[in-house]
Amino acid sequence: MVEATGSSPNTAPATGGAVRRLMRATEVDTRLLGMVGALAILWIGFHIMSDGLFLTPRNLWNLSVQTSSVAIMATGMVLVIVARHIDLSVGSLMAFVGMIMGTVQVNLLPQLVGFDFPLTWVITLLIGMALGAAIGAFQGYIIAYLGIPAFIVTLGGLLVWRGAAWWVASGQTIAPLDSTFRIVGGAPNTSIGATASWIVAALACVGIVLGILGGRRQRRKFNFPLRPIWAEIVLGAIGIAAVLGGVGIANSYGWPKGLVRQYAQANNIPEPDFIATGIAVPVLIALVVAIVMTFLSTRTRFGRYVFAIGGNPEAAELGGIATRWVTLKIFVLMGILVTISASIQTARLNAATNALGTLQELYVIAAAVIGGASFAGGIGTVPGAILGALVMQSLQSGMVLMGIDAPLQNIVIGSVLVLAVGLDTLYRRQSD
Amino acid sequence: MADQQSPLVEMRNISVAFGGVHAVEDVTINLFPGEVVGLVGGNGAGKSTLMKVLSGAYSRDAGKILIDGKEVTIENPRDAKALGIETIYQTLALADNVDAAANVFLGRELLTRWNTLDDVAMEAAARQVIGRLNPSFKNFKTPVHSLSGGQRQAVAIGRAIHFNARVLIMDEPTAALGPAETAQVTDLVKKLSDEGIGIFLISHELRDVFDLSDRISVMKNSRLVGTVFKKDVDEDDVLGMIIGGKHPGVPEALTSGAALATEAAATA
Ligand SMILES: Nc1ncnc2c1ncn2[C@@H]1O[C@H](COP(=O)(O)OP(=O)(O)O)[C@@H](O)[C@H]1O
Ligand SMILES: [Mg+2]
């Protein structure tokens, strides 16, 4: 309801053909649909231009893992931008939180409780979350209660936390990390495997069906018009097909040969031909974050207030919303999401470095903006931000597959960012 | 209501300054249950600022506010709403990017038993309260920025009356409305004051003010010129107060608390 939908009930219904009718009946966000279309074109284009390397289980699996960290932060950044703020500190904050979590699990906890303590990863994550939340609250407090613009506060944060990350270990890299903690990084042999992936898929499908049924029941209770049954079925079928297709691809990607051999030797079994990888742990985390953040932003008071503040900060305050408190909470949330991404990236590298997350703030902001967040405030969606992250990562890995140099990659990504926002602005101007 | 001694609202010696600008200086006004007090004055006289102090949007530099004879602290709009003071702002103050129901319930959302937003229930309630003002209102699913002036006004009014207000502040509520919609608002004011709600009505339309008010308070250059009973004056008297700042010499309708209470009860 808070998302800007392209079609409104009072526009002339006679014009437009079957597609329009389908979109009206299903009430889908036309903007989001446009992004899915753009992504499809991008993927097919890369597939052709890379001689069939792009749309392979291996590449798509890697793409999903590489996207997860930026996507997780983008779900928070979209709320920051919706509320008319910005957070430039996320890349540096990642490094600082990552260094602290590295120190805790490598230097601090082994001294206190010894190596191979089974709860090391839990304690590390809890300390990281608390730190991320506290730093978010600190920056949010300065922004919300002292009235210093977020741009300035988080620009300061960008410098401060990068410097602090260096101080944690005087610039040294902390490695190797706790073996359990490393699972969140997402290697093929620590992914959840075929069976668990199908269970996740089944749960998601049940969730889709229950969501549709619940929505209908609620509307019937108040005698509101229902969507046509066929539209519900189309929507549900598309959702279920997407879930099953995604999981099918993840399951058709097998462990690399080296890992299979190691595994066979370690377990003293003959080398199997194929071990299905399934959904990677960071992707699973990103999916959970996506669901939680979508829920927060569309189904809770907090989310409603974030959008109301972005639409008209003065009206929100006059309407009785504690706008400063809400603003502070947005930055706390951002800090927690940064910690999750920091965990994924350090675990993936199997090291904490003070250079972690360099320039990530720009990718995160770009993902949110490509996903439809507007700096004018009040507009943006969590699914859009995730799609935005996927577009950015697709561009990057597609160009890598095509053998395009890094400088040219940057030029392309920068141009796409401006182009995407430009097109969106034109589209909005027209549909208003 | 005849035994009502203390006013519902009393604003005593209120002053507000913005930097060097004295927007309101030493103004005292009051309001009884079921009474409509018209607040009039030229542009920039300080009417909106005075009312925004009562609704918690501005903080005062001096003076106090009493509700039911007891001093209260109103530091933000939440405090005012908690005391049953609802406001229809001159600018409407709507959250433009969310729909009508979200605006009606802004800050006071209905929740399901899972503590999630109950959008369907809110839409149902919004349909009722807005339908009372504007039966042809249909666009419950669109962000309010795409609505017409009259429809936006209906949303703002709906928000103010849905929560059983005791005090209603209406700052130029008919400015954006056509004749039919204005008539609906006029009816609504009468109905609400019959229900015992006290209403401060700011309007440029002296005709509406005379039609609806029991008393009229006039401001000029951030000060109160005076408060008069409607029955004691005609439009020319009030125009003289607004433009010339001169009191028509009829009995002052603010000072005699007990007499006022009887008066309010009689006219209600
Ligand atoms: N937020 C504000 N900041 C600075 N000056 C203000 C503000 N609000 C009102 N004023 C000033 O206070 C005076 C009274 O304004 P206002 O209360 O809006 O008058 P009215 O509603 O009677 O037209 C004007 O001079 C106006 O410019
Ligand atoms: Mg005014």
Side-chain angles (χ1 to χ4, degrees):
Chain A
M1 193 172 293
V2 285
E3 292 97 29
T5 45
S7 59
S8 52
N10 58 345
T11 49
T15 58
V19 178
R20 228 191 147 80
R21 224 179 51 237
L22 175 76
M23 305 227 300
R24 165 124 356 118
T26 48
E27 294 171 19
V28 292
D29 186 341
T30 47
R31 220 191 149 284
L32 220 54
L33 206 63
M35 282 194 63
V36 173
L39 196 63
I41 293 170
L42 204 63
W43 283 13
I44 294 168
F46 275 132
H47 190 66
I48 295 168
M49 287 190 290
S50 65
D51 295 320
L53 290 177
F54 195 90
L55 293 177
T56 59
R58 176 189 155 83
N59 188 54
L60 292 177
W61 189 87
N62 279 324
L63 185 66
S64 71
V65 174
Q66 288 158 355
T67 304
S68 51
S69 155
V70 167
I72 287 168
M73 290 190 282
T75 64
M77 189 63 81
V78 72
L79 293 189
V80 170
I81 293 175
V82 162
R84 302 194 182 186
H85 296 292
I86 189 72
D87 193 340
L88 298 172
S89 71
V90 294
S92 299
L93 185 53
M94 237 175 116
F96 180 60
V97 176
M99 286 301 290
I100 295 288
M101 286 194 294
T103 308
V104 167
Q105 62 185 290
V106 174
N107 299 332
L108 201 65
L109 286 178
Q111 275 179 20
L112 295 176
V113 291
F115 286 98
D116 294 325
F117 180 60
L119 293 181
T120 293
W121 67 281
V122 180
I123 297 172
T124 302
L125 281 177
L126 287 179
I127 290 177
M129 297 280 177
L131 182 67
I135 292 176
F138 176 57
Q139 297 191 145
Y141 178 83
I142 299 176
I143 293 161
Y145 289 88
L146 304 183
I148 317 248
F151 187 93
I152 304 298
V153 174
T154 60
L155 182 60
L158 178 141
L159 297 168
V160 168
W161 307 123
R162 182 66 63 192
W166 193 92
W167 275 108
V168 173
S170 304
Q172 283 176 329
T173 294
I174 299 175
L177 301 184
D178 178 75
S179 56
T180 317
F181 182 82
R182 283 174 57 195
I183 290 175
V184 298
N189 56 343
T190 55
S191 293
I192 66 173
T195 315
S197 296
W198 285 124
I199 292 173
V200 170
L203 288 176
C205 293
V206 171
I208 289 172
V209 172
L210 286 183
I212 290 175
L213 291 180
R216 286 184 76 83
R217 201 183 48 216
Q218 187 70 353
R219 293 188 69 78
R220 201 177 291 124
K221 200 168 98 194
F222 288 93
N223 284 323
F224 285 175
L226 298 170
R227 271 181 199 156
I229 293 277
W230 63 267
E232 304 271 29
I233 292 175
V234 167
L235 268 187
I238 291 175
I240 288 171
V243 167
L244 295 181
V247 170
I249 290 169
N251 279 342
S252 64
Y253 173 48
W255 289 17
K257 279 276 167 278
L259 288 177
V260 175
R261 194 169 309 131
Q262 272 176 28
Y263 175 78
Q265 278 163 6
N267 291 284
N268 244 335
I269 52 168
E271 203 175 307
D273 284 337
F274 179 86
I275 304 179
T277 305
I279 304 170
V281 172
V283 176
L284 202 60
I285 295 172
L287 289 174
V288 171
V289 166
I291 292 169
V292 170
M293 291 298 290
T294 304
F295 177 82
L296 266 184
S297 64
T298 60
R299 307 291 341 134
T300 68
R301 281 187 165 167
F302 167 73
R304 173 69 40 92
Y305 295 168
V306 171
F307 280 86
I309 290 171
N312 187 342
E314 211 187 321
E317 179 72 35
L318 292 178
I321 294 173
T323 54
R324 298 188 219 213
W325 178 231
V326 173
T327 304
L328 189 143
K329 284 200 280 192
I330 297 171
F331 283 92
V332 169
L333 197 57
M334 191 71 240
I336 292 172
L337 293 170
V338 166
T339 305
I340 296 175
S341 290
S343 313
I344 291 174
Q345 292 207 15
T346 50
R348 198 166 153 69
L349 278 173
N350 190 18
T353 79
N354 61 318
L356 187 79
T358 305
L359 289 186
Q360 290 260 305
E361 59 280 346
L362 301 184
Y363 288 105
V364 172
I365 293 167
V369 169
I370 288 179
S374 159
F375 282 112
I379 298 174
T381 65
V382 168
I386 292 169
L387 275 177
L390 199 53
V391 167
M392 299 269 301
Q393 193 59 50
S394 300
L395 273 175
Q396 197 150 29
S397 56
M399 287 189 289
V400 169
L401 285 182
M402 285 171 59
I404 294 174
D405 309 336
L408 188 56
Q409 286 180 27
N410 284 338
I411 291 174
V412 171
I413 291 182
S415 310
V416 166
L417 172 65
V418 176
L419 190 75
V421 175
L423 283 178
D424 190 40
T425 310
L426 285 180
Y427 165 79
R428 283 211 181 110
R429 221 170 272 157
Q430 247 179 14
S431 61
D432 256 3
Chain B
M1 223 180 288
D3 59 340
Q4 183 79 35
Q5 287 301 314
S6 56
L8 177 54
V9 180
E10 218 181 332
M11 299 181 77
R12 279 192 201 156
N13 309 104
I14 304 287
S15 294
V16 182
F18 298 105
V21 181
H22 293 273
V24 172
E25 276 196 273
D26 197 26
V27 172
T28 298
I29 57 169
N30 57 15
L31 177 71
F32 286 82
E35 187 193 31
V36 178
V37 169
L39 185 56
V40 298
N43 258 329
K47 310 179 294 291
S48 294
T49 304
L50 180 67
M51 287 297 108
K52 280 187 168 178
V53 168
L54 183 57
S55 63
Y58 289 161
S59 54
R60 59 189 183 276
D61 297 312
K64 49 175 145 176
I65 301 174
L66 293 84
I67 303 287
D68 296 327
K70 283 192 283 290
E71 188 167 356
V72 293
T73 9
I74 297 179
E75 274 169 357
N76 55 46
R78 288 182 296 290
D79 293 344
K81 283 168 194 270
L83 290 164
I85 302 168
E86 292 291 334
T87 312
I88 298 152
Y89 293 96
Q90 191 168 4
T91 54
L92 300 187
L94 297 176
D96 293 303
N97 57 331
V98 296
D99 64 21
N103 268 286
V104 168
F105 287 93
L106 197 62
R108 292 178 283 206
E109 288 74 10
L110 298 181
L111 299 177
T112 65
R113 72 193 129 120
W114 316 104
N115 262 354
T116 61
L117 295 175
D118 197 341
D119 279 322
V120 182
M122 287 193 273
E123 185 181 332
R127 276 177 190 275
Q128 245 179 10
V129 66
I130 294 175
R132 228 176 119 180
L133 305 158
N134 185 344
S136 62
F137 194 106
K138 291 265 151 36
N139 307 326
F140 283 92
K141 287 264 178 257
T142 50
V144 296
H145 70 73
S146 59
L147 301 182
S148 72
Q151 289 173 327
R152 288 167 57 82
Q153 193 90 44
V155 175
I157 297 176
R159 167 165 77 184
I161 63 173
H162 184 66
F163 293 94
N164 301 320
R166 299 183 64 207
V167 179
L168 191 59
I169 302 168
M170 305 176 97
D171 194 346
E172 309 274 3
T174 57
L177 304 184
E181 289 164 316
T182 300
Q184 262 154 7
V185 172
T186 309
D187 283 349
L188 180 75
V189 168
K190 287 179 179 152
K191 199 152 58 180
L192 293 175
S193 67
D194 283 349
E195 289 169 16
I197 297 174
I199 299 174
F200 278 120
L201 175 69
I202 302 181
S203 179
H204 274 118
E205 284 295 328
L206 272 193
R207 193 165 301 277
D208 290 344
V209 173
F210 266 83
D211 185 17
L212 294 170
S213 313
D214 301 298
R215 287 182 295 143
I216 301 172
S217 290
V218 184
M219 286 182 75
K220 178 178 162 60
N221 294 342
S222 65
R223 291 185 169 276
L224 187 76
V225 176
T227 300
V228 293
F229 288 108
K230 177 185 72 181
K231 62 175 175 48
D232 293 342
V233 291
D234 60 19
E235 289 193 21
D236 285 338
D237 293 332
V238 174
L239 272 177
M241 293 172 82
I242 294 172
I243 297 163
K246 82 177 177 291
H247 205 286
V250 299
E252 175 59 39
L254 193 61
T255 40
S256 52
L260 250 176
T262 352
E263 197 70 43
T267 50

